[in-house]
Amino acid sequence: MPPEALTNATAISAAPTADDITFLRFSKGLPALVPRKRRTAPQNPLPAQGTPTLSLPPNIDSISFVEPSRRLLSRRDHGLFLKSPCYSLVLAFVFSLSEACANTKISAIPLNSQPPIIQNILTILSSISTQVECNPPKDQGASRFGNSAFRDFFDAVSSCLGQYHASLGGPTPEAMLEASAYLQHSLGSRARIDYGSGHELNFILWLLCLNRLSLLSPSTFPALALLVFPRYIHLLRKIQSTYYLEPAGSHGVWGLDDYHFLPFLFGASQLLNHPYIRPLSVHNDIILEEEGDEYMYLDMVRWTMATKSVKGLKWTQPMLDDISGAKSWEKVEQGMRRMFVKEVLEKLPVMQHFLFGSLIPAVDGMGLEEQQVENAQGSEAQSATHIGVVKHVHRDDDAWGDCCGIKIPSTIAAAQEAKKWGNGEIFRRVPFD
């Protein structure tokens, strides 16, 4: 064997083995045990949105009832509202309703044991549903924009508001007339034929007015959240499907939903400590089908998927898809609370249509609706006038304003038109899916 080969063989055989390395490593004793560092809490954790105390109803004898009107006409007005007792009142009522349905499914609230006021409210919603059938949509070809027959429906309901509220047994006709304005505006915009989270909030404000009139005590809150509100949501689905209401200020796929917000808040509260339904379960069709009638969150996801022409939550509602990655429903519920404050109450384009009266009072210093035209600068970028709609101020950082924007066809209308042409059961796949 050549000397070079012998040298290489000796070097290879002399290479340390794994056992040799282990022996050398621990020949001087075991290394000192160093405890792992605990994870530190984030420096700026998002604070949990608490529930303010709901104040007692006012003394009816000291109230002079008025017709509700718009008072949030500028950012200054909006800033006054966010620091007012009215803001705390709305927040307390909404979050109290959310807490009332915590860990409770819809069927756990028996309908036949509810007080007469709950039965009467459900009867009113059923009567409004009948008005939809009495005012069928007009033939607009294949148009997916708002159907003008909605205005006939809106007028028919408006003419019955006095009769509806007489059945609730309010203290005075003037008081019920003020409350009826909120129910009227909870059905959508007659002028624009659209619907959004501001109209949904008006329904909650209607219930708040009845609470201020001592007609709805806190003991009725579970029934309001789990019987009345779901019935209202299903009524609006019928209206949206019939008249193709356009989404008001929709953010498209980047929004939580085209029309609603509160069903997700209440629904997340329902699921807080559920034994097997997790946020990720929204991708399970079997769970959506079997549990959707019991939990509003699942029902909203199921309805959203049924009204889209593209299959897959990650394509149609990526925000809901992202939320499904949360570790617990507590995280989701807290996030929904913060989102309600940031995306509804703190958004002037939504809140500028908020109505104030004697039951939901404004604070001193807010503008008056009749002063809107005088206060507006008159430039096209700052104000806009729509047919049949009062003038309103746009955001300074928005070219057209979230409050009106461009006309957006309804996705529900797209699904309905697809069914007319026999394509309602076929999902259009995304090319890169």
Side-chain angles (χ1 to χ4, degrees), residues 292-308:
D293 294 336
E294 296 285 1
Y295 299 98
M296 282 180 274
Y297 196 102
L298 303 181
D299 182 46
M300 288 299 298
V301 174
R302 182 176 62 179
W303 173 255
T304 296
M305 295 307 301
T307 57
K308 301 295 183 179

Side-chain angles (χ1 to χ4, degrees), residues 78-98:
H78 190 216
L80 291 174
F81 165 75
L82 295 177
K83 299 176 182 179
S84 69
C86 180
Y87 169 81
S88 299
L89 176 64
V90 173
L91 208 62
F93 187 71
V94 171
F95 289 169
S96 294
L97 291 179
S98 179

Side-chain angles (χ1 to χ4, degrees), residues 137 142-144 237-244 303 306-309 410-424:
S143 174
R144 294 182 294 167
R237 287 178 185 174
K238 183 176 181 179
I239 296 174
Q240 293 157 6
S241 301
T242 302
Y243 303 115
Y244 295 175
W303 173 255
T307 57
K308 301 295 183 179
S309 58
S410 166
T411 56
I412 294 179
Q416 294 290 87
E417 290 299 319
K419 290 180 180 179
K420 290 181 181 179
W421 293 96
N423 298 324

Side-chain angles (χ1 to χ4, degrees), residues 123-403:
T123 300
I124 290 175
L125 297 180
S126 298
S127 299
I128 296 176
S129 179
T130 302
Q131 292 290 352
V132 177
E133 300 164 3
C134 296
N135 295 274
K138 298 178 182 179
D139 184 11
Q140 296 186 162
S143 174
R144 294 182 294 167
F145 292 95
N147 194 291
S148 60
F150 173 74
R151 296 189 176 102
D152 299 331
F153 158 78
F154 192 93
D155 294 339
V157 173
S158 299
S159 65
C160 297
L161 288 176
Q163 175 186 349
Y164 292 158
H165 286 77
S167 66
L168 298 178
T172 64
E174 293 77 15
M176 303 312 290
L177 180 63
E178 178 175 332
S180 67
Y182 294 95
L183 177 60
Q184 181 187 39
H185 287 84
S186 71
L187 302 176
S189 171
R190 183 188 185 280
R192 298 185 301 272
I193 315 182
D194 64 8
Y195 180 92
S197 55
H199 301 102
E200 177 186 68
L201 181 59
N202 273 323
F203 184 77
I204 297 297
L205 297 180
W206 178 58
L207 299 178
L208 176 58
C209 286
L210 299 182
N211 170 262
R212 298 293 89 187
L213 294 172
S214 300
L215 296 176
L216 291 173
S217 65
S219 63
T220 64
F221 286 4
L224 292 180
L226 296 175
L227 293 180
V228 173
F229 190 70
R231 182 76 64 88
Y232 166 75
I233 294 298
H234 284 84
L235 168 63
L236 262 296
R237 287 178 185 174
K238 183 176 181 179
I239 296 174
Q240 293 157 6
S241 301
T242 302
Y243 303 115
Y244 295 175
L245 298 189
E246 300 163 18
S250 172
H251 293 283
V253 297
W254 301 112
L256 194 61
D257 184 76
D258 284 341
Y259 298 106
H260 297 285
F261 177 85
L262 290 177
F264 294 99
L265 170 61
F266 296 166
S269 181
Q270 283 185 276
L271 292 163
L272 276 177
N273 296 299
H274 199 279
Y276 63 86
I277 298 180
R278 300 290 182 263
L280 202 61
S281 299
V282 298
H283 300 285
N284 190 318
D285 293 338
I286 296 178
I287 290 181
L288 293 179
E289 182 63 28
E290 293 183 350
E291 304 289 353
D293 294 336
E294 296 285 1
Y295 299 98
M296 282 180 274
Y297 196 102
L298 303 181
D299 182 46
M300 288 299 298
V301 174
R302 182 176 62 179
W303 173 255
T304 296
M305 295 307 301
T307 57
K308 301 295 183 179
S309 58
V310 175
K311 184 177 179 60
L313 198 61
K314 62 181 178 180
W315 305 121
T316 58
Q317 302 294 126
M319 181 176 287
L320 286 177
D321 184 63
D322 291 343
I323 293 174
S324 69
K327 293 183 178 180
S328 66
W329 286 111
E330 182 181 2
K331 293 284 188 181
V332 176
E333 196 263 350
Q334 284 295 328
M336 291 297 170
R337 285 184 175 227
R338 289 190 290 267
M339 190 180 298
F340 174 71
V341 172
K342 294 295 183 181
E343 298 299 326
V344 179
L345 297 184
E346 292 187 2
K347 290 290 187 180
L348 179 58
V350 176
M351 295 303 295
Q352 67 179 340
H353 302 293
F354 190 97
L355 299 177
F356 293 88
S358 63
L359 297 172
I360 304 177
V363 296
D364 295 337
M366 285 186 179
L368 299 174
E369 189 168 348
E370 55 267 21
Q371 297 174 349
Q372 175 78 25
V373 178
E374 299 177 5
N375 294 336
Q377 295 298 321
S379 65
E380 188 173 321
Q382 291 177 323
S383 61
T385 303
H386 306 279
I387 299 176
V389 185
V390 295
K391 180 172 286 190
H392 54 277
V393 178
H394 282 166
R395 289 171 50 184
D396 297 335
D397 58 349
D398 202 328
W400 54 73
D402 287 342
C403 49

